[in-house]
Amino acid sequence: MLLRIWNLVLKEFVQFVRDWLMTTFILTLPILQLILLAQATSSRISDLCVAVLDFDRSGDSRRLVAALDNRRELNVCHFPETLEDSHYLLDQGDATLAVVIPTGFAADLADASTEPHVQLAADASNSLPGSIALQAANGAIIEFAAERAATRGATAISPVDLRTTVRFNPELNARLFSMPAQVGFIVYQVTLTITSIGLARERELGTLEQLLVMPLRRVELVVGKAIPALIIGSVNFVCLLAVTVFVFEVPLRGSLALLFALTLVFIVAEIGYGIFISSIARTQQQAILLVFVLAMLDMTFSGYMVRVKNLPLALQVIAQVVPFSHYLEIIRGVMLKGAGLDVLWPHAAAMAAIGVLVIVVAVRSLGRSLD
Amino acid sequence: MSIPRLLAVVRKELCHITRDARLLFLVTVAPAFLLVTLSYVFALDVGRVNVAVRDLDRTSLSRDFTASLGADDDFAVVAYVQRDAEVEPLLVRGVADVVLIIPHGFADAALGGQRTEMQCIVDGSDSITAGQTIGLLQQRVSDFVTDLLGQRSVDVSVGLQVSDRAWYNETLKSLISMVPGMLAVIMCMPALALTLALAREKETGSFEGLIATSVRGAEYLVGKLVAYVIGGMVSLVLAWLVATQWFRVPFRGGFLDFLLLAAAYLFASMGVSLLVANFVRNQQTAMFLILMVFFIPSFFIAGLITPVSSAPIARAVASALPTTHFIAISRGVFLKGLGVVALWRQASVLVATGAVSLAGSLVLLEKKIS
């Protein structure tokens, strides 16, 4: 039996070597995709355009403008003359934030009995830059005022100081969150595509008939098809992980052996999905379309961009039966938090259970569609 | 160009679309379906933050503060930590997102007017959420302090007031801004269907048959374009219904303005896909190209999540993408209530893109026929 499986695996590899164009694609495209995405997600939001409407035109108001401009997030680039002009800039999206400094700003600031009133209006039609601009401007203005107050000898500082320590990712680098997920997603895509298309192609070309008349049992056929996918998936994983850790310097704080072992479990579960798809799909095109739809759904339910606990409750429940969501907890846990099996066992167990279930269903469904 | 022949081509294309279930799905329902799933993927709102509290002070004031945190839905106190060693596992397990440490003598210092320091340890693995959590927590602490000092009539003013307003999206909810943006991205699905249909015509050889009829090149291309723009408009209305009824995104602009601007976008994206289709032989390549040219870049450089980059190359690529302009249009009409007049810049770029690529593909087609 082992010999027969071995021969089938050998045949698959001969095919991969012959179709060298596709094989190079499978091995190099994922790395390119990973690098592109890493570049795209690393850019922090900075230099948002600010329009300042300075009715005061005093030394103090200019110092306030400079304080705003000095923020990394902000860049003062428009000086409209009227409120309508600043409104227009926000409407057109030419400015993310409008600041209105009232007349008598400097005089009111110098007089302890009056408080000048600075107005901020942000274009929140895109909420992320909008809220970042508001936070940065608020910070700059309060700092400016506190400094002014300090020079007058007043203590205007809050008695409670909040000191924050950020664990696992002190610089709040977005890459550390997105890259492990990307590695998982690419491995997922590659394994699923290879398994589901492999059988669909044999069917389309009619070579499946030949395989069926050979002295191979169904299980041997499935295992023989699964092993090459497992090997290619693992090779891909190792390459991508190396790029992530060595090129993009995402830490790997936990055990590499544990991560690799759990990745194998994940790949096996995905191979189960692949076999299931190939038992339904009649042509390669149908297989591709099904993989595409499945990938879209998994992106939604896996916590790929937004963590599962921030999803609506109904979606959180669905997420529990998606192996990818458990794998994301595992790869992020091991890489960023150095988590071990004592912490991750519920996710590992869930993933393995789903995997076994899917494979049983898939093999049965394939057996039916072959006979 | 003859109008009856053009209409005949349009009718033939509409027949194709309605007959093929897969194509019909791609052109009409798929965008609305994707809008629902993808909007959740990119909704970057912080849900409830789980806090673990290590209260070293154990006074009524520190308990008041803890209670004030859990008072609404932003924070939930999930654990009280007794020993320092328990802090790390809570974060590693993901039980708590933040551990808050209230020091000894917190109440004495805060009430006595001395400075004291509260410590919070944040799980930074999800950087965007962590950043927002820190901001939220700072807000809570300063609110609490202001309340406390206000009760004892101590003036904490820094001698300056700031009023800030988030225009167009007052609650700063990510979903409200993400849905109109995502609507723009997913509206490239009808263009994908057009490229697929063109590639299939080549694959199956029915293109040859069409050339042999009296239909001219221009009529063939314009007819296809019109049919798919019509299909695209149907899917646009469906997606609009999803946005306003399911996600409850406010729609402040005029519906007619929106339809007109969307037609300009569909014209541009269909034009580009006609051009792309000229170079592809089979459906697989067509799908791959459209995904690479339209779909993937739309997420990252078209201003969907982060604003369009100011770096020259990225900026040039972004302004060449029809999606970039339609994201601005969609958010403009939905949230800012703008009309065609205010959005003329984006609209004219789209119309120009459509016209140029239509002309380009016409030239290429004529060359191929002759």
Side-chain angles (χ1 to χ4, degrees):
Chain A
M1 172 175 175
L2 277 179
L3 186 71
R4 285 198 297 260
I5 293 179
W6 170 245
N7 280 330
L8 191 59
V9 172
L10 218 59
K11 161 202 160 287
E12 290 293 317
F13 273 103
V14 169
Q15 264 182 338
F16 277 120
V17 172
R18 282 215 193 123
D19 195 353
W20 60 270
L21 189 67
M22 194 182 88
T23 314
T24 8
F25 266 151
I26 290 174
L27 292 176
T28 54
L29 265 186
I31 295 179
L32 262 173
Q33 197 183 340
L34 183 73
I35 292 173
L36 267 177
L37 211 96
Q39 295 298 343
T41 49
S42 69
S43 57
R44 300 173 72 178
I45 293 180
S46 64
D47 292 314
L48 296 168
C49 195
V50 181
V52 175
L53 190 55
D54 185 356
F55 286 122
D56 197 41
R57 293 173 193 276
S58 59
D60 273 328
S61 72
R62 272 191 290 275
R63 270 190 284 281
L64 180 63
V65 173
L68 289 168
D69 201 30
N70 280 341
R71 282 276 169 155
R72 189 178 50 78
E73 297 93 339
L74 305 176
N75 180 22
V76 177
C77 53
H78 292 290
F79 292 94
E81 298 287 324
T82 61
L83 275 173
E84 285 72 45
D85 285 352
S86 69
H87 197 148
Y88 179 77
L89 286 169
L90 287 185
D91 266 355
Q92 289 294 316
D94 290 334
T96 309
L97 182 75
V99 181
V100 182
I101 303 175
T103 25
F105 172 75
D108 287 351
L109 201 61
D111 185 354
S113 64
T114 52
E115 284 184 347
H117 193 141
V118 179
Q119 286 177 359
L120 304 176
D123 170 7
S125 67
N126 190 359
S127 59
L128 194 63
S131 54
I132 286 175
L134 276 182
Q135 263 177 20
N138 255 315
I141 294 171
I142 296 297
E143 237 169 65
F144 168 81
E147 263 172 42
R148 281 285 316 226
T151 55
R152 284 188 286 123
T155 49
I157 303 158
S158 159
V160 179
D161 200 19
L162 184 71
R163 174 146 305 186
T164 46
T165 316
V166 179
R167 291 284 291 123
F168 313 127
N169 181 5
E171 281 142 30
L172 289 180
N173 185 347
R175 241 181 225 168
L176 266 54
F177 184 66
S178 66
M179 282 200 70
Q182 189 60 21
V183 171
F185 186 63
I186 294 175
V187 169
Y188 159 94
Q189 257 181 330
V190 169
T191 344
L192 204 56
T193 316
I194 292 179
T195 338
S196 58
I197 290 186
L199 269 171
R201 188 172 52 186
E202 302 257 13
R203 203 194 295 256
E204 234 180 24
L205 297 177
T207 49
L208 190 62
E209 307 283 309
Q210 290 168 20
L211 277 182
L212 288 180
V213 296
M214 276 197 257
L216 272 172
R217 273 189 290 162
R218 298 281 178 273
V219 183
E220 290 164 9
L221 180 63
V222 169
V223 174
K225 281 277 173 189
I227 287 176
L230 186 67
I231 293 175
I232 290 180
S234 324
V235 170
N236 246 319
F237 170 73
V238 171
C239 296
L240 294 171
L241 191 70
V243 171
T244 310
V245 172
F246 295 116
V247 180
F248 292 100
E249 297 179 337
V250 176
L252 175 59
R253 299 199 175 101
S255 144
L256 177 63
L258 176 68
L259 182 58
F260 191 72
L262 291 178
T263 304
L264 286 183
V265 176
F266 172 63
I267 292 177
V268 170
E270 290 309 330
I271 287 174
Y273 275 100
I275 295 171
F276 183 66
I277 288 178
S278 63
S279 75
I280 309 174
R282 300 277 130 208
T283 61
Q284 288 184 63
Q285 197 155 28
Q286 282 180 10
I288 291 181
L289 225 80
L290 280 169
V291 169
F292 187 70
V293 169
L294 201 65
M296 278 297 171
L297 289 176
D298 277 2
M299 288 253 284
T300 312
F301 296 124
S302 63
Y304 175 77
M305 289 286 287
V306 178
R307 284 188 301 174
V308 170
K309 78 185 243 305
N310 287 352
L311 289 174
L313 197 66
L315 303 190
Q316 283 188 36
V317 176
I318 303 176
Q320 296 311 311
V321 297
V322 174
F324 189 41
S325 79
H326 294 291
Y327 182 66
L328 281 188
E329 291 288 337
I330 290 170
I331 190 170
R332 283 188 180 131
V334 173
M335 289 188 76
L336 303 180
K337 299 181 175 179
L341 202 57
D342 55 324
V343 171
L344 297 172
W345 70 266
H347 294 295
M351 204 166 67
I354 300 167
V356 169
L357 192 71
V358 169
I359 287 179
V360 169
V361 171
V363 171
R364 287 197 149 187
S365 156
L366 185 71
R368 214 173 301 135
S369 82
L370 290 181
D371 297 330
Chain B
M1 194 195 282
S2 106
I3 298 297
R5 279 205 299 259
L6 178 67
L7 289 180
V9 175
V10 172
R11 241 200 21 238
K12 161 194 166 288
E13 289 303 324
L14 285 177
C15 265
H16 270 305
I17 296 175
T18 44
R19 210 180 280 163
D20 183 347
R22 207 180 45 159
L23 205 57
L24 189 65
F25 175 77
L26 258 186
V27 176
T28 55
V29 189
F33 168 74
L34 279 182
L35 183 61
V36 174
T37 54
L38 287 179
S39 293
Y40 284 120
V41 177
F42 288 90
L44 304 167
D45 291 314
V46 183
R48 218 176 39 181
V49 179
N50 293 332
V51 190
V53 178
R54 171 125 171 84
D55 188 352
L56 294 169
D57 197 38
R58 293 169 194 275
T59 55
S60 64
L61 189 73
S62 69
R63 275 192 291 276
D64 279 353
F65 178 70
T66 314
S68 81
L69 272 184
D72 58 26
D73 276 347
D74 291 345
F75 290 94
V77 179
V78 289
Y80 289 92
V81 184
Q82 304 303 331
R83 285 174 296 119
D84 280 336
E86 290 171 29
V87 171
E88 184 82 10
L90 281 175
L91 291 174
V92 173
R93 275 168 203 276
V95 175
D97 304 309
V98 183
V99 179
L100 199 66
I101 302 175
I102 303 174
H104 278 300
F106 166 75
D108 290 345
L111 295 171
Q114 280 167 309
R115 301 203 60 190
T116 175
E117 200 169 75
M118 210 186 294
Q119 203 193 349
C120 77
I121 305 167
V122 182
D123 174 358
S125 55
D126 178 355
S127 55
I128 293 181
T129 320
Q132 285 168 314
T133 305
I134 293 171
L136 214 57
L137 207 56
Q138 271 164 349
Q139 190 67 47
R140 284 312 185 77
V141 170
S142 92
D143 284 354
F144 182 73
V145 168
T146 318
D147 263 11
L148 185 71
L149 295 174
Q151 281 164 18
R152 295 170 40 232
S153 59
V154 174
D155 186 20
V156 273
S157 139
V158 290
L160 190 153
Q161 281 179 33
V162 186
S163 71
D164 52 8
R165 298 235 349 251
W167 280 12
Y168 317 122
N169 177 9
E170 289 70 23
T171 50
L172 279 170
K173 265 192 105 58
S174 172
L175 255 182
I176 299 288
S177 66
M178 206 43 82
V179 171
M182 194 56 81
L183 186 141
V185 174
I186 48 107
M187 281 311 294
C188 70
M189 294 305 277
L192 168 66
L194 174 59
T195 317
L196 280 180
L198 280 167
R200 194 176 42 191
E201 224 152 62
K202 266 186 221 166
E203 255 180 2
T204 55
S206 58
F207 179 66
E208 305 286 316
L210 267 174
I211 295 177
T213 65
S214 56
V215 171
R216 304 254 176 76
E219 290 155 7
Y220 169 71
L221 285 183
V222 175
K224 269 216 175 323
L225 196 99
V226 170
Y228 278 85
V229 169
I230 291 173
M233 292 309 267
V234 173
S235 76
L236 182 89
V237 173
L238 282 178
W240 177 83
L241 281 174
V242 167
T244 51
Q245 301 306 311
W246 174 271
F247 287 111
R248 303 260 161 217
V249 176
F251 186 73
R252 306 199 171 103
F255 189 59
L256 212 62
D257 286 289
F258 189 55
L259 286 185
L260 216 58
L261 290 162
Y265 168 69
L266 288 171
F267 177 56
S269 63
M270 300 285 175
V272 174
S273 44
L274 280 181
L275 200 59
V276 169
N278 252 302
F279 301 102
V280 275
R281 301 257 147 256
N282 60 51
Q283 297 182 64
Q284 225 114 326
T285 331
M287 183 141 165
F288 180 72
L289 254 177
I290 288 289
L291 284 180
M292 289 313 257
V293 173
F294 277 131
F295 215 52
I296 310 286
S298 300
F299 283 109
F300 299 109
I301 60 174
L304 178 68
I305 303 165
T306 55
V308 174
S309 161
S310 48
I313 297 174
R315 178 155 223 129
V317 175
S319 38
L321 269 181
T323 321
T324 310
H325 305 285
F326 194 51
I327 288 177
I329 288 176
S330 180
R331 284 191 174 138
V333 178
F334 264 93
L335 303 174
K336 299 181 179 178
L338 302 180
V340 177
V341 181
L343 292 163
W344 67 271
R345 262 195 310 195
Q346 283 86 357
S348 47
V349 172
L350 288 179
V351 172
T353 311
V356 168
S357 42
L358 184 62
S361 43
L362 196 59
V363 170
L364 284 170
L365 185 73
E366 294 292 348
K367 210 187 275 171
K368 199 178 300 163
I369 292 173
S370 59

